[in-house]
Structure formats: C-alpha cells, structure tokens
Amino acid sequence: MTRPKPEDDEYWNSSKFSAFTFDDEDDEFTKMKESKRAVNSMLVDDDDDDDDVEKVSWSGEPIGSISWSVKETASSIRSSGEQSFPKIDITPSLPKQGSGYSLSSLFKGKQQVICCSGLAKDYMSDWSPEETVRRMRKGKVFSLERFRSLQEKLLLLDEAVSENDGNVITAVLIYLKKSLSKEILFRELMLREIALRHYVHYLKEMGEQKLLVELMKALGRTDDMALMQYKEHLNIKDEGQRRDFLKNCLSLPFSQDDAIHVQDHYTLLERQIIIEANDKRGDAEIFKKFPRKASILNMPIITTLYYSCFYHYGESDVSTLTISEKQYILTALGARAKLKSWFDVDSLFNTKNWLGYTKKRSPIGFHRVVDILQKNNAPVQVLQEYMNLIDDPELKLSLAQKYKCHDIVIDTYRDLKDRQQLIVYRGKVERGSKEDKKIEELLCNMVRGTLGQYSFVNHHAHCQTLVRGV
C-alpha cells in the first residue's frame, strides 16, 4: 500500500468534513452539527454578486417561482383568501424611497439561496427584523413566519416604518392582520400613526368596510365610523332598500352638519321614489309635450328641484330640504323660463312690504335674471321690464345694447342728457321705426349745443332744421 504524499496529508487535514470514525464522541448529534455547518458554508452571501449561481430548491423549482413563493412564504396568506398584495401608494406625508418593485414582488426573490429542507428555515430564522426588511425592499427571499412573539412582530413593524417604504409597511401589516387579534393590532396601531394611516388606506383599497368601521370605533372616531357606515348605501342597488338603510343611518353619531346631510338624503330619496312611481307612466299632458329624458331616482337635489319646477310647479314642497334662496330662485327661474311661463317668473320676484305694496326683489341680481331670460328667448318687453330694475346705469346700458333693447338705451341716454350718444345710436336703429322717431323727438326738444336743456317748439319745420343741423 502506497503511503500518501505530504500534499495529500495537507488536503485531508484542511477538509471541512471530518472522516468517519468509530470513536464515541462522533455521535449522531455531532454529525448533525457538522452537516449543518457544511450546508451553511455552501450558502451564498446575499451581499455578493451571485447572479451566476444556479438557484433551485430540492424540488427542482426555481426559488423565485410562484409555486415556491406560495409554498414557502405565503401559504397562510393564501389560505385566508388573500392571493396577492396590491400595490398601495404612500400618503403624501410619507415620501417613498425608490424601491423599484411592486408589493407582490416581495414574495419573488430575484436572488435566491440553495434550500435544504429544514436547514434553510434555520438559516432564515437567523435574520433580524432589519435584515428581513432589507431583503423585502430589495425583492429577495424572506420569511415573516419566523416572527412569532408580539415583541418580534412589533420590532418588525417599527423597522418597516423606519425605512419609509409603503409596500414593505403594508406587507408587514397584512402579516400582523392575520397573525394577531384585531384588538391587539388596533391597540398597537394607535401608538404608531404612520402604520395606522397605511392600515386604514389598505382597508379602504381592499373594501374591508366592516373592519374599517370597527377600527374607527376603537379609535374613538365616531364621526368617521358613522360616515363609513353611511357610505355603504352606495352598494345597495334597490331604491327601497337604500331608503330603509338611510333611515337606519339617521340614528348614527354624525356631526351636526353630516346629520343634516344624511337627513336631506333620506328625505330626497323618499320623495324621488314617490315622484318616480307617479311619473314613469307619463300620462300627464306635459310629459307628452316634453318627454322625460331619464329617471329622477338618485338624482342630485338641484336636478330634482329643476324637475319638480318643470313638471310639478306648485305641487312639490322643497321647504324641508336644505337649499339656499339663491339656488331655489336660479333653478326655478330656469325651469319656468324654459316653459315660457312668464307669470310664474313674475311670482318668483314679487314681494309685498308691510304697507301691502308689491315690488320686485331678487337675491341673485336682476342682471343675472336678464341673462337667464334672454337665453330662454324671452320677449323684449319681458327683458326690458327686468332690465329697468338694474341699479347700475352702466351695466344696464351694456346689457340693453347687447340684447338690443332700444327703449332702454334711448331712455338711459335721455336720463344722462347725452345728446351726442343719442345721435350715434340713431344710426343703429331702423329708419322710420318707432325707436328712430323717438330719438328724433328727443333731439327736437333739446336746445342746440346745450346738454341738459330742453327747447319745446311748436313748429315741426323748425324742429327738423335743428335735427339736420346737428
């Protein structure tokens, strides 16, 4: 038998593996430790460039594959019905550090390690919260299941928050959501404002309205809780059921303003249901002349008011709804002017003082009234009636010229004693018209070259001479 060479001795002495012996100290426990050290020595350092290393599990599947990710890191999440994590944007108060990956990529390791059954799990169990979060941010393989105690989970959450990465924070919160009772989770989130904001945003995105309401209640935010519960009416398609739901919402602890809004919503929907039941047949004459374009159900309050003023003026009472006088006047004016009901238009502005005298008053300004009437092709006489109620002479004159209300323009120049403008405006009216004759008469009664003085002459020929001499 040939004796080994010296270099052969050095090789065997420097081996990381011990030879098999029958010594008592080489028991099963020692061999397990040696085997574990050997496997750990084969693991690739994550910080090095190991893209050239072939990375597969013992099952032959790439570690970054969906199958491996689900089996090794997300099996419990899948069993609870959460297949993947949507990408959640961070609120503006928390700028996101560029991580260049989606939330779902947290379960896809671009850099993987060679796994060896339970030994890989032992390797992962050595990762600290800092190391785990770092791997999550880089899109590497990680495991949250090893964080079992409450203290470890909270350390992991705090580390995720300190990294300012919304995807990582949300991923950790999802794990805590399934591994902690909601009472404990709510209690801890109360102490962590940033994590709480992410959790609320996540629940909103996922549509977990019931849990969100419970969270708001636990936080003592009863107003928010009531509003979130009220928001559920959007998911109710049947109008009768929605009306009943809104009626039950009236007892929720809303703020004063919100309570008024919910009351108006309930009252409005209740009225819409009654109106729709009567009008959908379209038997009335007005529906034959002006057919409905859509159902009134679930329409805004202004649309409903316009509909009522158009089809049911004087029948529908809107006094119980929260609507300003300006909104009512503008809406009712548009509806009645559309129908050319000028008597109803007058009734909107006629008021009586304490002496019983009637005068017109408008909360929106008569210049706006004139604009609405003109858009609905009101007669010149109606336009001039409301134009004369404008207090500002310049605004009145501008609108009169714009809408060709000649009498208003002529009377305004007469009141301003502006003879020159009367002469200019005479060229804009039709020759021989009543407006032309009116201007001619005014010019005849003015003393030549003197504004503001009238000369009443009896001889018509002399009057014509004065006009032509201008």
Side-chain angles (χ1 to χ4, degrees), residues 192-204:
R192 295 165 173 81
E193 182 181 353
I194 294 177
L196 176 61
R197 290 204 307 268
H198 279 79
Y199 191 61
V200 169
H201 186 67
Y202 167 74
L203 293 180
K204 288 180 179 179

Side-chain angles (χ1 to χ4, degrees), residues 410 414 422 426 434-446 454-457 460 463-464 466-467:
I410 295 170
R414 179 200 62 193
L422 276 174
R426 188 183 184 189
K434 65 175 183 177
E435 292 83 8
D436 180 61
K437 294 178 180 179
K438 184 175 182 179
I439 295 175
E440 180 181 346
E441 183 179 353
L442 287 172
L443 291 175
C444 285
N445 292 326
M446 290 182 179
Y454 291 91
S455 176
F456 297 97
V457 293
H460 179 71
C463 177
Q464 290 297 322
L466 289 175
V467 173

Side-chain angles (χ1 to χ4, degrees), residues 355-368:
L355 293 174
Y357 294 107
T358 300
K359 64 177 297 184
K360 284 184 168 59
R361 185 186 69 85
S362 173
I364 61 175
F366 284 108
H367 63 285
R368 297 188 66 184

Side-chain angles (χ1 to χ4, degrees), residues 53-66:
V53 179
E54 184 178 0
K55 312 167 186 74
V56 295
S57 67
W58 290 115
S59 64
E61 298 171 340
I63 292 180
S65 68
I66 297 175

